[in-house]
Amino acid sequence: MYFEGAEKRLSLTLAAGCPSLRALGDAYWRRALAKSDTEILSKLSSEQCDAYLLSESSLFVWHDSLVLITCGNTRLIETVLSLVESLGRDQIASLSYQRKSEILPALQTSRFEEDIARLGTMLSGAAYRIGHLDGHHHHIFFSGSKVRLKPAQTVQMYHIRGELADYLLSDGQTIAGIASRLNLSQLLSGFDIDAHLFSPLGYSLNAIRGEDYFTLHITPQETSSYVSLETNLSLGAGLNGIVGKLLNRLNPVSWDLAGYEAETLAYCAKQYSLEARGELALADGQGLYVKHYKQRDCEQLLPVAL
Amino acid sequence: MYFEGAEKRLSLTLAAGCPSLRALGDAYWRRALAKSDTEILSKLSSEQCDAYLLSESSLFVWHDSLVLITCGNTRLIETVLSLVESLGRDQIASLSYQRKSEILPALQTSRFEEDIARLGTMLSGAAYRIGHLDGHHHHIFFSGSKVRLKPAQTVQMYHIRGELADYLLSDGQTIAGIASRLNLSQLLSGFDIDAHLFSPLGYSLNAIRGEDYFTLHITPQETSSYVSLETNLSLGAGLNGIVGKLLNRLNPVSWDLAGYEAETLAYCAKQYSLEARGELALADGQGLYVKHYKQRDCEQLLPVAL
C-alpha cells in the first residue's frame, strides 16, 4: 500500500529556429519514455499542445518546449539523457531537471547527485537544493540562457483527509465520481480533460486549453497520500482560486508551492500557516520560488503497525 | 560536510536473576560493538553504571539493563543480533530497537524493515512507525513483557543557529570551550562527565550520577546540523530546565521529544509551537510518547549549491 508520488521533472525550451518538437511524433516520445520504463496511456491535443497521459504522470509538448513529469521509481534521468543526445545539446536553450524530495528515498534507484553527475557531462549547468534534508525539499539542475523555460507553478499536498480522501481509497470510485467531487467542470472551465484511474489506486488528469496546461496526480494511499498539480496558470490568473478549492476538498496536513515565476498573490487559508519560504535565482531574472504551508492545529500522530 | 546524526538505539532489560551485564567486561562489549564497526573511545563508571563513549555515540550498561546508541552509517542491527544470541533470548525480558528517521536514508546500508525482518526471527515482537514518512518519524520494534525498559527521554534538535552553532563549526573549539558555553557544570550538576571532540567536527558527552545517565551528541555540519540528548531524568525532575537552556543556546529550527514515560510537563518556549504529538501503547502501561516542535516564525530557506 505504498506508492512514491513525489515527482521528477524535466522542462526544456529549444533555441529559436529549431524544428518543432510536436513534429517528432508519438513514436519518438514512446521510445524516449521507454528508457525510464514509462508508457503513453492516452493523448489529448489542442492547436498548441500535445498532452500525453503516462503510466507514471504526464508529458506536455509544445512547438518549442516540453514538460515531462514522472513519479514512482521511474528513472527519468535515462529519458532526459536520451532526449539531450537525440535533440542535440546545441538545440537546447534552457533545461531544468528537478526532483522533489521523495517520501521513501531509499527505494529510489538513484540519488539526485548521481543523476546530475551524468547530466553534467552533457550540459553545463548548476545544481541546488532548496529546503532542509529532514523535510520537504526540491533539487534542481538548471542549464540556462536568456530563453525562458515554460512558466510553471506546482503544488504538492501531503496527507489528505476527509470525505474525498476516503472516496479516493474506495472500491467503487469512478472517473466521473472524482470529476464531480472535485467540481472539475467549474474548476477547469474551458479545458479539455483526459483522466485515468489506476489499479489498485491512483488518479491522473491532464487538461489543456490552447497554450495552457494543467495536470493533477493523486496518490491516495493511506499512510503516504500525496496530491500534486502543475500548470502554467499564474496564481493571479485563476490558480489561487483553484488551489483554495482543492485545499478545502482534500484537506492536507501540509502543502508546498513551487513556481518558476514570482507569485503576485500569496494564498492564505485560515487553517494553514506559512512555515518556510525561499527563492533561488536562476538565469536572467528567472527563479524558483518555494513556500511550505502546514496546518495551524497540532496534529495527532497515529502509530502505524509495520 | 555531511554526517548522519540521527540515531539507531537498542534498549534491553534482562530477566530477574540473570548474571550482571557489567560483569561481562570491556572486551565483551568491544567484540559486540565491532559487529557494527563501532569502537570504545573511553569509559566512565559510577557504582551503578558503566558509560562508554563510542566512535559513534554511546553505550550505558547497568546491572540488568543497557542502552546503546549509534549514529552515522553504523549497522547497529548487527550488534543487536549478536547480543541477543550471546545473552540468550530467554534472558531478555524486554527489548526495543529504534531508528530515528535518517536525514539521508538512501545512504544507509539497511532499512528498518530489513533490520526487523532479521530481528523478528530471533525475538517475537511488534514494530511501528510514529510520525509521517515525509517528516521526522520514529521506527520502533518492541519485544516486551512486564519487565520495564530503562525510563528514557530523548530530544532531537535540527538546524541549530547562532553564536554557539558558529563556535561548534570553528577550528579553535575545545572541550572546555564547549563545556563553558553550554554551562555544563550548572546544567549537569553532580554528574561525572566524559566528553570527546571529533575530527573534523562533532562532539559527544556522556554523564553519569549514580543510576542516572545523560548523553549529548552534536553534529554541527552546516546544512544538516543535529543535536540529540538522552537521559533517564524526567521532564519534571530537571530535564525541562535543561532542555529549555539548551534550546536557548542552540536555537534549532525544530526539535522533537520522544520518551518512554508520559511526561508530566509540556515544555513551552515562546518561539516554538507544538505541531504534532502522538503516543504508542506498548506492553503493560509502557508507551512511546512523541512531540514535534517548530519555530513559530516563517523560516527563510536558503538554496544550497550542490
Side-chain angles (χ1 to χ4, degrees):
Chain A
M1 282 298 283
Y2 172 78
F3 185 80
E4 183 63 67
E7 278 97 358
K8 302 171 186 75
R9 177 181 188 272
L10 167 71
S11 173
L12 71 79
T13 299
L14 294 186
C18 288
S20 174
L21 287 169
R22 296 183 74 193
L24 292 168
D26 295 354
Y28 177 86
W29 302 114
R30 201 170 286 121
R31 276 195 305 274
L33 291 164
K35 304 271 181 193
S36 47
D37 298 324
T38 301
E39 283 173 43
I40 294 172
L41 301 181
S42 58
K43 179 185 177 184
L44 194 66
S45 292
S46 73
E47 208 169 305
Q48 292 92 340
C49 178
D50 294 316
Y52 298 89
L53 203 141
L54 308 180
S55 51
E56 275 90 3
S57 302
S58 299
L59 166 66
F60 296 90
V61 183
W62 294 267
H63 169 67
D64 64 347
S65 60
L66 71 81
V67 169
L68 169 56
I69 305 163
T70 66
C71 58
N73 289 352
T74 49
R75 294 167 291 121
L76 179 60
I77 189 64
E78 306 297 340
T79 297
V80 172
L81 297 173
S82 149
L83 284 174
V84 171
E85 191 172 336
S86 151
L87 296 170
R89 71 185 82 182
D90 298 337
Q91 313 295 304
I92 296 172
S94 292
L95 176 147
S96 74
Y97 172 68
Q98 281 174 270
R99 282 173 68 164
K100 173 75 174 167
S101 45
E102 285 96 10
I103 294 167
L104 280 183
L107 295 184
Q108 292 292 310
T109 54
S110 70
R111 298 176 61 224
F112 178 74
E113 287 80 354
E114 294 164 339
D115 292 351
I116 59 163
R118 298 171 67 194
L119 187 52
T121 64
M122 302 182 76
L123 283 177
S124 64
Y128 307 90
R129 184 187 78 237
I130 186 160
H132 294 304
L133 286 171
D134 61 306
H136 300 172
H137 55 272
H138 292 264
H139 284 119
I140 178 167
F141 170 91
F142 182 77
S143 173
S145 70
K146 292 193 176 182
V147 178
R148 282 175 173 262
L149 291 171
K150 201 85 190 161
Q153 302 276 0
T154 72
V155 173
Q156 298 89 28
M157 302 182 190
Y158 295 81
H159 312 297
I160 58 173
R161 296 163 301 181
E163 243 177 68
L164 181 50
D166 293 342
Y167 180 74
L168 292 162
L169 285 171
S170 70
D171 284 338
Q173 63 182 304
T174 61
I175 287 179
I178 296 171
S180 107
R181 283 165 176 85
L182 287 173
N183 203 3
L184 285 183
S185 59
Q186 197 211 0
L187 214 61
L188 296 173
S189 162
F191 277 81
D192 284 334
I193 289 177
D194 183 15
H196 189 87
L197 203 49
F198 291 85
S199 174
L201 289 170
Y203 172 83
S204 283
L205 172 152
N206 280 350
I208 49 176
R209 183 181 65 189
E211 182 86 9
D212 295 336
Y213 77 109
F214 183 97
T215 183
L216 178 72
H217 299 281
I218 301 180
T219 301
Q221 272 79 346
E222 206 163 358
T223 63
S224 59
S225 64
Y226 178 84
V227 174
S228 69
L229 70 84
E230 170 166 341
T231 180
N232 63 320
L233 294 180
S234 69
L235 284 165
L239 180 57
N240 216 34
I242 293 173
V243 172
K245 282 174 186 140
L246 289 175
L247 286 174
N248 278 334
R249 292 201 175 89
L250 293 164
N251 193 28
V253 170
S254 64
W255 61 283
D256 303 334
L257 181 66
Y260 275 93
E261 305 221 314
E263 73 282 28
T264 49
L265 293 178
Y267 179 83
C268 62
K270 275 188 228 108
Q271 70 270 38
Y272 295 101
S273 65
L274 177 62
E275 62 167 25
R277 63 184 302 163
E279 94 181 57
L280 168 63
L282 301 171
D284 198 38
Q286 295 182 84
L288 180 66
Y289 301 84
V290 304
K291 288 183 171 184
H292 297 179
Y293 294 86
K294 192 154 199 309
Q295 69 173 15
R296 287 184 193 280
D297 293 343
C298 174
E299 187 187 3
Q300 197 64 39
L301 297 172
L302 299 176
V304 176
L306 299 177
Chain B
M1 280 300 284
Y2 172 76
F3 184 80
E4 183 64 67
E7 277 97 357
K8 302 171 186 75
R9 178 182 188 271
L10 168 70
S11 173
L12 71 78
T13 299
L14 293 186
C18 287
S20 174
L21 287 169
R22 296 183 73 195
L24 292 168
D26 296 353
Y28 177 86
W29 301 115
R30 200 170 286 122
R31 276 195 305 274
L33 291 164
K35 304 272 181 192
S36 46
D37 298 324
T38 302
E39 285 172 42
I40 295 172
L41 300 182
S42 57
K43 180 185 177 184
L44 193 66
S45 293
S46 73
E47 208 169 308
Q48 292 91 340
C49 179
D50 295 314
Y52 298 89
L53 203 142
L54 308 180
S55 51
E56 277 90 4
S57 302
S58 299
L59 167 65
F60 295 91
V61 183
W62 294 268
H63 168 68
D64 63 347
S65 60
L66 71 82
V67 169
L68 169 57
I69 306 163
T70 65
C71 57
N73 288 354
T74 49
R75 295 167 293 120
L76 180 60
I77 189 64
E78 306 297 341
T79 296
V80 173
L81 296 173
S82 149
L83 285 174
V84 171
E85 193 173 331
S86 150
L87 297 170
R89 70 184 83 181
D90 299 337
Q91 313 296 304
I92 296 172
S94 292
L95 176 147
S96 75
Y97 172 68
Q98 282 174 269
R99 281 173 67 164
K100 172 75 173 165
S101 45
E102 285 97 9
I103 294 166
L104 280 183
L107 295 186
Q108 291 292 309
T109 54
S110 72
R111 297 177 61 224
F112 178 75
E113 288 80 354
E114 294 164 338
D115 291 351
I116 59 162
R118 299 171 67 195
L119 187 51
T121 64
M122 302 182 76
L123 284 178
S124 64
Y128 306 90
R129 184 187 77 237
I130 187 160
H132 295 303
L133 286 170
D134 60 306
H136 300 172
H137 56 272
H138 293 263
H139 283 119
I140 178 166
F141 171 91
F142 182 76
S143 173
S145 71
K146 293 192 176 181
V147 178
R148 284 175 171 261
L149 291 171
K150 200 86 192 162
Q153 303 277 359
T154 70
V155 173
Q156 298 88 28
M157 304 181 189
Y158 295 81
H159 312 298
I160 58 173
R161 298 161 300 181
E163 242 175 69
L164 181 50
D166 293 342
Y167 179 75
L168 291 161
L169 286 170
S170 68
D171 284 338
Q173 65 181 303
T174 61
I175 288 180
I178 295 171
S180 106
R181 282 164 176 85
L182 286 172
N183 202 3
L184 286 183
S185 57
Q186 197 209 2
L187 214 60
L188 295 172
S189 161
F191 276 82
D192 284 332
I193 290 177
D194 182 16
H196 190 86
L197 203 48
F198 291 85
S199 173
L201 288 171
Y203 171 84
S204 282
L205 172 152
N206 279 350
I208 49 178
R209 183 182 63 188
E211 183 86 9
D212 296 335
Y213 77 108
F214 183 97
T215 183
L216 178 71
H217 298 281
I218 301 179
T219 302
Q221 272 78 347
E222 205 162 357
T223 64
S224 58
S225 65
Y226 177 84
V227 173
S228 70
L229 69 86
E230 169 165 341
T231 179
N232 64 318
L233 295 180
S234 70
L235 284 165
L239 180 57
N240 215 35
I242 294 174
V243 172
K245 283 173 187 142
L246 289 176
L247 287 173
N248 278 335
R249 294 202 173 89
L250 293 165
N251 193 27
V253 170
S254 64
W255 61 283
D256 302 336
L257 180 66
Y260 275 91
E261 304 220 313
E263 73 282 31
T264 49
L265 294 178
Y267 181 83
C268 63
K270 277 188 226 107
Q271 68 272 37
Y272 295 101
S273 65
L274 177 62
E275 63 166 25
R277 63 184 301 162
E279 94 182 55
L280 168 64
L282 300 170
D284 196 40
Q286 295 182 82
L288 180 66
Y289 302 84
V290 304
K291 289 183 169 184
H292 296 178
Y293 295 85
K294 194 159 196 311
Q295 67 172 17
R296 286 184 194 280
D297 293 344
C298 173
E299 189 188 2
Q300 197 65 39
L301 298 171
L302 298 176
V304 176
L306 300 176

